[in-house]
Amino acid sequence: MRAELSVIIPTLDAGHSLPACLGALFEGVHTGLIREVIVSDGGSQDATRVMAEEAGAVIVIGPPSRGGQLRRGAEAAGGAWLMVLHADTGLPEGWSEAVRAQIAKGGAAAFRLRFDAGGVAPWLVAGWANLRTRMFGLPYGDQALLVSRRAYHAAGGYPDIPLMEDVALARALKGRIALLPLAVTTSAARYQREGWLRRGARNLWLLARYLCGADPARLAARYRR
């Protein structure tokens, strides 16, 4: 039977984190789960594409927009199931078994979140992300969303927007997203650079504004600042 899973990684100058992200995927290759890895690049000027080519990934190139990149990646995917993985997020040991069990069960799912930093602040922020996923079915992209291609297309796929594309798809899936028992580990660099409280509060404010109908392009400009 052909491998079922297509992994989609959106990138933009991700050369510093992509090798570790790709390395964790070999577990799925060895267990026969991964059909292909698709790197959807938004115009990287570093070694991102070279690294992806050396790892045997399919490379899709287009304008830099997280939603647009993910949409193009999904269009190129041949697997019956899709997993969206950020380049600065690492999958845990045993992830392929958890994914295979979820595929057998059916239904979209996301991993629990953990940061590559210790302390109370990372624990609280990750805890809120996990609670948000469990209660409201709203995981963010760094939680490695798993969804069948049929459900993805039925929900309309990722909209071509620069921010909140993950929330838009989750809402289109109508909150039917399970929380897997394992946690991915994502980079805490932006929180450490900007401050845990400040960035956490800003993310929550951006989410609230988006849910109230704010323009994602304006929110993305605010997010980049």
Side-chain angles (χ1 to χ4, degrees):
M1 186 175 67
R2 190 78 183 271
E4 298 180 273
L5 185 66
S6 294
V7 180
I8 303 166
I9 307 175
T11 58
L12 182 61
D13 294 329
H16 61 289
S17 58
L18 188 59
C21 175
L22 292 173
L25 291 175
F26 280 106
E27 177 186 313
V29 175
H30 293 153
T31 60
L33 177 63
I34 292 180
R35 175 187 179 119
E36 64 204 346
V37 176
I38 300 170
V39 170
S40 186
D41 191 66
S44 294
Q45 299 300 307
D46 64 358
T48 294
R49 276 182 257 173
V50 174
M51 294 174 178
E53 287 177 358
E54 291 177 347
V58 176
I59 300 176
V60 179
I61 301 172
S65 168
R66 182 67 63 75
Q69 288 175 237
L70 290 173
R71 193 174 186 90
R72 289 191 294 273
E75 288 171 355
W81 284 78
L82 312 176
M83 184 168 72
V84 177
L85 182 64
H86 286 188
D88 61 354
T89 297
L91 292 165
E93 184 177 350
W95 70 266
S96 61
E97 183 179 344
V99 166
R100 196 181 293 278
Q102 183 63 31
I103 288 175
K105 184 187 302 182
F111 284 83
R112 299 172 189 271
L113 186 66
R114 176 186 297 140
F115 288 99
D116 61 355
V120 175
W123 181 81
L124 287 174
V125 173
W128 156 244
N130 297 331
L131 181 64
R132 184 187 64 233
T133 304
R134 183 184 297 111
M135 293 188 65
F136 306 111
L138 289 177
Y140 284 167
D142 51 12
Q143 290 176 253
L145 177 68
L146 174 70
V147 62
S148 72
R149 188 163 60 166
R150 178 179 296 180
Y152 170 83
H153 286 299
Y158 281 106
D160 189 357
I161 54 178
L163 193 70
M164 296 294 169
E165 77 293 332
D166 42 10
V167 175
L169 179 59
R171 294 179 78 193
L173 291 168
K174 303 187 184 305
R176 296 189 294 268
I177 301 175
L179 194 60
L180 294 173
L182 299 179
V184 294
T185 301
T186 196
S187 172
R190 290 180 179 177
Y191 282 91
Q192 292 171 327
R193 184 168 59 247
E194 300 173 23
W196 288 91
L197 180 60
R198 181 181 179 184
R199 185 173 181 84
R202 186 178 66 168
N203 286 351
L204 188 58
W205 175 238
L206 290 173
L207 174 61
R209 289 186 61 192
Y210 172 74
L211 295 177
C212 289
D215 179 11
R218 286 191 170 186
L219 296 180
R222 173 77 177 180
Y223 180 80
R224 286 192 291 268
R225 290 202 302 268

